[in-house]
Amino acid sequence: MHEREARDFWSEFTIAEISGEAVGWGARFAGKNEIAEMWVHADFQRRGAGAALIRKFLKDVADERHNDAWIETHRRNEAAISLYRRMGFVPDHTAMRWSQGLGRDIPLIRMRYPLD
């Protein structure tokens, strides 16, 4: 998906940069408390880009006066889960969700960030 297409789909789409280089991105729908998508290139993980994206989206969700924010990831994505825990997210529940693109169920963990 190109940036223009992404901006047409999500109401909030943010690119993470390090030294002027795009290294990741995140997205959410305005008015909802879900961080819908987030990705940081493996070569740039653990350098603050993911945390900066999360802080930006948490501020947006708080500004909309939601009580919490949440994000989902694959249950085996230990790097993401570790980042979310460090940022203050707590596990909320697990689920299986069908992926049309992969043609199979994906094990997910939903993590919640209390804002109140």
Side-chain angles (χ1 to χ4, degrees):
M1 181 178 290
H2 296 282
E3 181 180 348
R4 183 176 170 282
E5 294 167 321
R7 290 189 190 283
D8 288 343
F9 184 75
W10 290 290
S11 52
E12 291 188 29
F13 179 83
T14 302
I15 295 175
E17 295 181 352
I18 294 178
S19 301
E21 182 177 358
V23 299
W25 61 275
R28 65 178 286 270
F29 296 103
K32 299 198 180 237
N33 63 338
E34 171 192 10
I35 300 171
E37 298 285 339
M38 214 173 97
W39 176 83
V40 175
H41 190 282
D43 292 346
F44 293 92
Q45 291 177 2
R46 297 184 125 334
R47 294 180 55 190
L53 287 168
I54 290 172
R55 281 192 300 275
K56 185 254 191 260
F57 290 128
L58 289 176
K59 181 187 179 310
D60 294 343
V61 171
D63 287 350
E64 292 173 356
R65 305 217 186 279
H66 293 284
N67 294 327
D68 62 3
W70 62 273
I71 191 166
E72 287 182 336
T73 192
H74 194 287
R75 279 187 241 166
R76 287 181 281 189
N77 188 344
E78 294 176 15
I81 292 168
S82 176
L83 170 64
Y84 303 152
R85 284 182 188 272
R86 284 194 313 273
M87 299 292 299
F89 284 79
V90 294
D92 186 59
H93 72 269
T94 59
M96 297 294 285
R97 183 159 310 127
W98 178 258
S99 168
Q100 188 68 33
L102 297 175
R104 63 184 172 94
D105 280 330
I106 303 298
L108 300 173
I109 182 169
R110 177 176 168 169
M111 299 190 72
R112 180 180 169 275
Y113 183 94
L115 290 165
D116 45 13

